[in-house]
C-alpha cells in the first residue's frame, strides 16, 4: 500500500477519533475522509476530500467496501467487526480494514491483512502516528515467505491449486525445510529487513534438489511443470511465473 494511494478512506465517528484521523489525514493528503457531519470541522483546511454523513455509519459501509482498497477506522474494534460483517465476501475481494484505537496507540489490521494489504497499511499508519502495529498473520509475524503473495510487487503469478498454497504456507510458517528454486525473475524478491529464515534453502535448478529432504518446494520458473511432478509432490509444490522480460538466463 502506497501512502499516495487515493483509494484509502479514513473513517471517524467521535470527536477524539476525528482529531486522530485529522492528524493521519494531514500525512496522507490523497486519502479520502469519511466522518460524522458533527465532527467535519476537525478536517477543515486539509487537502483531503471529505465526505460528512448525517445518518448512521452502517449506511456508509457498502459504498466504502465498493470504493476503496484500504479502510482505516478510528472506531472501536468490536463496532467495526459488527459493521463490516454483513459485507464480507472473500479475502480476494474485500478491502483491507484497519482499526486505530481512540488513544492512537495501537493500529490493528482486522480484515484482508495479508492478501488485501491491511498489514502493510497498519505498519505504515503506525509509523506515521508513532503507534504500534498489532499484526497477527503468521508469515508476517514470523518474518518468513508469504507463499500466496510472494513476488506480487514484481509481477509474479502463482500457479498452483489453492490447497497447495494453503498446505505449503503451513509448512513455511512451521519452520519446516523448504526448497526455494529460482530459475527466472528478479533476484530482489526478499524485501524484509530480517534475514531469510534458515529453513528456506535456495537452489538455482530444480534438478539440484533432493525432493525427499524438503517439506515443500517453491519453484520460480518459466519451464513447463510436468504432470508427473505435480503428482509426485502432491500438495507440496507451488510454482511462480515471473514476467517474461524479468526472466533470468
Amino acid at each position: 500500500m502506497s501512502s499516495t494511494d487515493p483509494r484509502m478512506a479514513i473513517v471517524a465517528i467521535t470527536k477524539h477519533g476525528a482529531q486522530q484521523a485529522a492528524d493521519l489525514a494531514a500525512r496522507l493528503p490523497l486519502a479520502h475522509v469519511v466522518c460524522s457531519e458533527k465532527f467535519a470541522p476537525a478536517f477543515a483546511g486539509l487537502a483531503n476530500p471529505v465526505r460528512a454523513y448525517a445518518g448512521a455509519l452502517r449506511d456508509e459501509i457498502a459504498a466504502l467496501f465498493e470504493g476503496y482498497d484500504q479502510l482505516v477506522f478510528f472506531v472501536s474494534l468490536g463496532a467495526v467487526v459488527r459493521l463490516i460483517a454483513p459485507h464480507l465476501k472473500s479475502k480476494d475481494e474485500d478491502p483491507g480494514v484497519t482499526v486505530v484505537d481512540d488513544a492512537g496507540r495501537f493500529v490493528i489490521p482486522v480484515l484482508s491483512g495479508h492478501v488485501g494489504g491491511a498489514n502493510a497499511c497498519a505498519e505504515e499508519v503506525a509509523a506515521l502516528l508513532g503507534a504500534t502495529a498489532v499484526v497477527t498473520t503468521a508469515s508476517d509475524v514470523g518474518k518468513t515467505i508469504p507463499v500466496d503473495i510472494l513476488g506480487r510487487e514484481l509481477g509474479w503469478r502463482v500457479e498452483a491449486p489453492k490447497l497447495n498454497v494453503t498446505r505449503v504456507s503451513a509448512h513455511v510458517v512451521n519452520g519446516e525445510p523448504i526448497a526455494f528454486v529460482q530459475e527466472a525473475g528478479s533476484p530482489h524478491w526478499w524485501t524484509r529487513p530480517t534475514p531469510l529464515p534458515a529453513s528456506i534453502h535456495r537452489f538455482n535448478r530444480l534438478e539440484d534438489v533432493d525432493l525427499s529432504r524438503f517439506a515443500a518446494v517453491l519453484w520460480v520458473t518459466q519451464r513447463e511443470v510436468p504432470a508427473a511432478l505435480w503428482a509426485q509432490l502432491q500438495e507440496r509444490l507451488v510454482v511462480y511465473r515471473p514476467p517474461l522480460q524479468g526472466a533470468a538466463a
Side-chain angles (χ1 to χ4, degrees), residues 183-185 219-224 240-248:
E183 301 174 344
W219 188 15
V220 188
T221 187
Q222 297 295 353
R223 284 202 267 170
E224 210 168 308
Y240 300 91
R241 300 295 192 187
L244 284 172
Q245 63 268 27

Side-chain angles (χ1 to χ4, degrees), residues 25-103:
R27 292 166 167 79
L28 298 170
L30 293 184
H32 293 193
V33 170
V34 177
C35 69
S36 171
E37 191 174 60
K38 182 178 179 180
F39 302 116
F43 303 94
L46 296 181
N48 310 76
V50 177
R51 167 169 166 69
Y53 63 88
L57 178 56
R58 65 175 176 271
D59 297 329
E60 306 295 320
I61 302 300
L64 288 170
F65 262 54
E66 182 67 28
Y68 297 95
D69 299 317
Q70 298 297 328
L71 303 175
V72 179
F73 285 90
F74 287 81
V75 182
S76 73
L77 177 58
V80 168
V81 170
R82 293 181 185 280
L83 284 166
I84 67 176
H87 303 275
L88 304 186
K89 295 178 181 177
S90 76
K91 66 179 183 180
D92 298 316
E93 299 176 75
D94 297 331
V97 174
T98 301
V99 168
V100 184
D101 76 291
D102 209 46

Side-chain angles (χ1 to χ4, degrees), residues 90-154:
S90 76
K91 66 179 183 180
D92 298 316
E93 299 176 75
D94 297 331
V97 174
T98 301
V99 168
V100 184
D101 76 291
D102 209 46
R105 292 181 299 172
F106 299 102
V107 185
I108 309 162
V110 178
L111 180 69
S112 297
H114 187 56
V115 175
N119 289 352
C121 176
E123 289 176 351
E124 180 178 4
V125 169
L128 292 172
L129 295 178
T132 299
V134 183
V135 177
T136 59
T137 305
S139 61
D140 291 324
V141 172
K143 307 300 182 187
T144 192
I145 289 178
V147 173
D148 51 350
I149 60 171
L150 180 64
R152 183 167 66 175
E153 70 281 2
L154 299 171

